Amino acid sequence: MDELSLRTGFEIELLAPAGSDRQVLADELAARLGGQVRRSFHTDSEPSVVPGVGVFRHLSPAFDVVDAHGRPVARLVDDITIEADLQPGGPGRRGWYRVLCDDARLLRLIERHADPDASLTTVLDPVAELFGVRTEVIGRAARVDDARGATVAVAMPLPAGRERPCEVITPPIETGHAAALERLLVPARELGFTVPQEAAVHLHVDGAPFRRPEAFANVVRLFGHWRQQLWAALETNPVCRRLAPLPDALLDLVETSDDARAQATGLTKYADVNLTQLVTGTPLRDTLEVRILPGAIDGPTIVRRAALVEALLARCLDPVPLPRPGEDATLGDLLGVRL
């Protein structure tokens, strides 16, 4: 299993060496392809230490690489789950900042109006204009409050070290997956990028085939009942964050042939497999996302693991229900091969 047949997108978590950052890799990729780098914002969220605020959502620096014809090559973003290799303290780099907000709708509005190339002190000016106020600069931060004093957003310097995590997000790759990944990862290796301690590789495949009730149920059975075998075969990173079993309620639900209620089972994207886009009528990205491949920085290794996942997903498309694993069962039992 060393080739893929499905259109597949990849998310590969890397770490820039100390003194470097993800923009260095973006610039190198663009230079090799005769393309260019376009700065943008990446949206993420993290737990809040402010009483009464569950999470803070934020925008951080992202870099979109396009080739000489303007076609997307990769998007390089932060990944806040990467922490263990970062050294706290010290100044940030390049004047990078993040924009924090406690409301997802407001953050989408901010992203629409803010210029990702603007400085920290001016990035919120278009937002301030929307609310009929002025941006307030306080020390090294900038803040916009509405006319009644409620805070809309704050721009703050990026914490030291947060420029080093580099999640490489590819567009969907049709063929030649390993070679396509190597075009991104060879420069990364040459620049000293490494695999961080908490790293993972995520796979995105087209979601439509897995919306069929029989296929959806089989995917749930695969990642629910065969979790131990999947982790062993794929060598899942045990310290990778934001992985979790599928909800027990979902495993029970697919045996009732009532997949329409899947959203009510506590399903989230932060599980071994992200099925959230399959149970909504308005998917943000119409994919099934497999999140349990371990970190890696070479294309053939990633593709070999992805090929096993692809074969298992192909079995899920068979309407025959996947069995529960027996004692000493392996994934080869599902595929009829020796692994």
Side-chain angles (χ1 to χ4, degrees), residues 177-179 181-182 185 189 297-304:
H177 300 77
L181 293 181
E182 281 292 90
L185 298 178
R189 296 195 296 267
I297 195 169
D298 73 280
T301 296
I302 292 171
V303 167
R304 278 196 297 273

Side-chain angles (χ1 to χ4, degrees), residues 41 54 72 98 124 128 134 146 166 175 186 188 235 280 297 299 323 328-329 331:
F41 287 121
R98 56 182 175 178
L124 293 178
R134 292 182 180 275
D146 69 14
C166 178
T175 59
V186 167
E235 301 176 290
T280 174
I297 195 169
D328 299 325
L331 296 176

Side-chain angles (χ1 to χ4, degrees), residues 119-143:
S119 68
L120 183 153
T121 56
T122 63
V123 67
L124 293 178
D125 286 353
V127 180
E129 185 176 353
L130 286 172
F131 283 86
V133 297
R134 292 182 180 275
T135 302
E136 182 179 9
V137 178
I138 308 169
R140 300 175 63 209
R143 184 177 71 194

Side-chain angles (χ1 to χ4, degrees), residues 217-234:
N218 272 339
V219 171
V220 171
R221 294 181 185 109
L222 173 64
F223 286 89
H225 300 312
W226 293 79
R227 189 179 197 232
Q228 180 180 345
Q229 290 81 1
L230 283 167
W231 276 51
L234 294 172

Side-chain angles (χ1 to χ4, degrees), residues 22-45:
R22 53 188 172 273
Q23 186 176 355
V24 171
L25 177 56
D27 290 341
E28 178 65 19
L29 292 174
R32 294 191 183 202
L33 295 167
Q36 59 180 303
V37 177
R38 299 167 181 166
R39 184 160 167 168
S40 60
F41 287 121
H42 172 60
T43 304
D44 211 331
S45 62

Side-chain angles (χ1 to χ4, degrees), residues 263-281:
Q263 284 180 303
T265 63
L267 192 63
T268 78
K269 67 175 289 186
Y270 300 123
D272 292 3
V273 60
N274 174 10
L275 303 175
T276 60
Q277 302 302 296
L278 304 185
V279 296
T280 174

Side-chain angles (χ1 to χ4, degrees), residues 144-223:
V144 169
D145 294 345
D146 69 14
R148 296 192 177 185
T151 298
V152 176
V154 178
M156 302 179 66
L158 200 68
R162 287 252 55 96
E163 73 281 354
R164 293 179 61 200
C166 178
E167 182 174 341
V168 179
I169 303 172
T170 75
I173 299 172
E174 302 271 358
T175 59
H177 300 77
L181 293 181
E182 281 292 90
R183 285 192 286 272
L184 304 175
L185 298 178
V186 167
R189 296 195 296 267
E190 292 176 354
L191 289 170
F193 281 65
T194 55
V195 178
Q197 292 183 45
E198 305 99 331
V201 170
H202 299 170
L203 308 177
H204 287 264
V205 299
D206 291 337
F210 301 98
R211 284 199 176 83
R212 297 205 323 265
E214 298 87 353
F216 182 85
N218 272 339
V219 171
V220 171
R221 294 181 185 109
L222 173 64
F223 286 89

